[in-house]
Amino acid sequence: MRIVVPFGAAEPKTRLSPVLDATERRKFAAVMLADVLGALTDGGYEPTVVADAPVDVSSFADPFDPASSANPGAERSLGGRPVETPVPVSVDERSLTAAVNARLPDHPGEEPTAVVMADLALATPTALDRLFDREAEVVLAPGRGGGTNAVVARAPDFNVDYHGASIRDHRRIAADATRSLATVDSFRLATDIDEPADLVEVLLHADGRSAAWLRDAGFEVAERDGRVDVHRQ
Amino acid sequence: MRIVVPFGAAEPKTRLSPVLDATERRKFAAVMLADVLGALTDGGYEPTVVADAPVDVSSFADPFDPASSANPGAERSLGGRPVETPVPVSVDERSLTAAVNARLPDHPGEEPTAVVMADLALATPTALDRLFDREAEVVLAPGRGGGTNAVVARAPDFNVDYHGASIRDHRRIAADATRSLATVDSFRLATDIDEPADLVEVLLHADGRSAAWLRDAGFEVAERDGRVDVHRQ
């Protein structure tokens, strides 16, 4: 199975701007990508990053070193763990939808393709196995707020459309193509990290580079008016 | 297994007040409870409602009839489906934490107890089976935002504490009691319906009474600034 991880390298995670500046957003996006790639490679999969701008995955190096993204010669490690498998990066400046559709199967018998978003900081090999183990022609992992956080396409006539409430569109596209559809019921795969309120999920449910990076940046779980949120020291 | 469904009948769902008035909140809370009880009874389980004020579950009758909650003699149906099994209701005016702890096992060999929140409008028998089928002494289903949406306690020295980031406290309590712990990774069980932004999940992912009630009240999926939200006609 081909596994594609789309990554918005040009201007990542703008909705986190209330709590992270542009440099931090780039760094945090890269750290989350490293967690997703790590969960995939730990599970034995071989992902390819599809980025909308050049990105040197090997340069993630030490996510705690602000200089590392400018220092591709730095030690090849992700959050202290060595990069055991170099992950290929393909630059595609088209929209997310167009770049993904260009990589989905377009004729019968072509290799199935999975698409896993780069901001699933809670992803684990176990959660990803649940995605890949479903046998339907189209498998969807819904994201909170109507999104589609992961797809497996085993049919040539399924395409993605990431605009708006994409999970609804993807169900319709699969139905129109009379393809069997399965949905993975996973909190980990449903939790894409877009907004400040999402950071608490990383702190509470992840133990990888993203959680370590947030803690190092001063974030901690806080309670305010009976609700749980993050606080930055 | 005993199954307890705590229900805040006194002043339900105050965080939905930006989009629902007090009467509507009471009605929608009752409809969600009916969905949760339906998912449990459809799965062959026999839940008990623990409410903080008297509530006549049989009076949910037709959730589309505004008078039904004041008319306990109305046809015994939930969203058009008959109530096949009357669900017992126990009134307990203590705090949620105290009312639940009073019902957890407190000596070895006592019947295991599950606690399932009443606002899990996306719950299905399949998702609940994943909760009940785990064999650990303590099974937790995290909710978004640090909550704990469902618990199975098979040990006498596990207690709940629903204040704040309860999922973290519950892990600690299980660890302190050296009890085996399992976590259910379910988007359906993680999605408690508290805030206006949560309503879109009901419209997109549920097909029971709660979704029908919202549609009848004029709610529909809308897109605003590239984000998916609800709009009320």
Side-chain angles (χ1 to χ4, degrees):
Chain A
M1 179 150 27
R2 284 190 297 211
I3 299 182
V4 171
V5 180
F7 180 61
E11 195 182 3
K13 296 288 137 203
T14 50
R15 283 158 64 187
L16 288 173
S17 56
V19 296
L20 295 175
D21 69 29
T23 302
E24 290 171 329
R25 294 199 300 276
R26 270 194 298 276
K27 181 61 76 177
F28 183 56
V31 173
M32 290 200 291
L33 171 61
D35 271 341
V36 171
L37 297 177
L40 286 163
T41 56
D42 284 356
Y45 301 100
E46 296 182 5
T48 296
V49 174
V50 177
D52 59 357
V55 57
D56 182 354
V57 176
S58 71
S59 76
F60 293 164
D62 179 357
F64 300 102
D65 173 9
S68 64
S69 67
N71 182 11
E75 183 189 3
R76 290 169 62 88
S77 67
L78 293 171
R81 299 165 59 185
V83 183
E84 292 168 14
T85 315
V87 174
V89 178
S90 165
V91 175
D92 192 324
E93 295 178 356
R94 288 175 287 186
S95 71
L96 171 62
T97 292
V100 167
N101 281 332
R103 289 163 174 83
L104 295 183
D106 62 7
H107 55 263
E110 197 172 344
E111 191 177 9
T113 299
V115 184
V116 178
M117 292 300 163
D119 59 354
L120 306 185
L122 275 58
T124 58
T126 301
L128 291 164
D129 278 343
R130 290 180 54 213
L131 171 75
F132 299 132
D133 288 350
R134 297 295 292 266
E135 292 187 357
E137 291 171 299
V138 177
V139 185
L140 303 175
R144 189 171 186 273
T148 307
N149 285 353
V151 172
V152 177
R154 298 188 174 91
D157 43 11
F158 177 80
N159 283 287
V160 296
D161 178 355
Y162 284 111
H163 184 77
S166 66
I167 191 72
R168 195 166 55 173
D169 296 328
H170 291 152
R171 287 179 193 140
R172 181 184 47 73
I173 293 166
D176 287 351
T178 62
R179 294 302 180 180
S180 61
L181 174 69
T183 302
V184 178
D185 175 28
S186 167
F187 173 58
R188 293 188 172 279
L189 300 183
T191 306
D192 46 327
I193 308 301
D194 281 323
E195 305 183 359
D198 299 328
L199 299 181
V200 72
E201 310 299 347
V202 181
L203 292 173
L204 286 172
H205 298 291
D207 60 2
R209 304 161 184 89
S210 307
W213 188 91
L214 286 175
R215 287 199 186 90
D216 193 67
F219 287 93
E220 59 186 15
V221 177
E223 292 170 35
R224 193 163 43 198
D225 302 331
R227 303 188 209 186
V228 176
D229 201 349
V230 291
H231 167 79
R232 190 170 189 178
Q233 287 183 318
Chain B
M1 177 149 30
R2 284 189 296 211
I3 299 181
V4 172
V5 180
F7 180 61
E11 196 182 2
K13 296 288 137 201
T14 50
R15 284 158 64 188
L16 287 174
S17 56
V19 295
L20 294 176
D21 68 28
T23 301
E24 290 171 328
R25 295 199 299 277
R26 270 194 299 277
K27 179 62 73 176
F28 183 56
V31 172
M32 289 200 291
L33 171 61
D35 272 342
V36 171
L37 297 177
L40 287 163
T41 56
D42 284 356
Y45 300 100
E46 296 182 5
T48 296
V49 174
V50 176
D52 61 356
V55 56
D56 182 355
V57 175
S58 70
S59 76
F60 292 166
D62 178 359
F64 300 103
D65 173 9
S68 64
S69 67
N71 181 12
E75 185 188 1
R76 289 167 64 87
S77 68
L78 292 172
R81 299 167 60 185
V83 183
E84 291 168 15
T85 314
V87 174
V89 178
S90 165
V91 175
D92 192 324
E93 294 178 356
R94 288 176 287 186
S95 71
L96 172 63
T97 293
V100 167
N101 281 332
R103 288 163 174 83
L104 294 182
D106 62 5
H107 57 264
E110 196 172 346
E111 190 176 10
T113 299
V115 184
V116 178
M117 290 302 164
D119 59 355
L120 304 186
L122 275 58
T124 58
T126 301
L128 291 163
D129 277 343
R130 289 180 54 212
L131 171 75
F132 299 133
D133 288 351
R134 297 295 291 266
E135 291 186 357
E137 292 171 299
V138 177
V139 185
L140 302 175
R144 189 170 187 273
T148 306
N149 286 353
V151 172
V152 177
R154 297 188 174 90
D157 42 11
F158 177 79
N159 282 288
V160 295
D161 177 356
Y162 284 110
H163 186 78
S166 65
I167 192 72
R168 195 165 56 174
D169 296 329
H170 292 152
R171 288 180 192 139
R172 181 184 47 73
I173 294 165
D176 288 351
T178 63
R179 295 304 181 176
S180 61
L181 174 68
T183 302
V184 178
D185 175 27
S186 168
F187 173 57
R188 292 188 172 279
L189 300 182
T191 306
D192 47 326
I193 308 302
D194 280 324
E195 304 183 359
D198 299 328
L199 299 182
V200 72
E201 309 300 348
V202 181
L203 291 173
L204 286 171
H205 298 292
D207 60 1
R209 303 162 187 89
S210 306
W213 189 91
L214 287 175
R215 288 198 187 92
D216 192 67
F219 287 94
E220 58 186 17
V221 177
E223 291 169 35
R224 195 163 42 198
D225 303 332
R227 303 188 209 183
V228 176
D229 201 349
V230 290
H231 167 77
R232 190 171 189 177
Q233 289 182 314

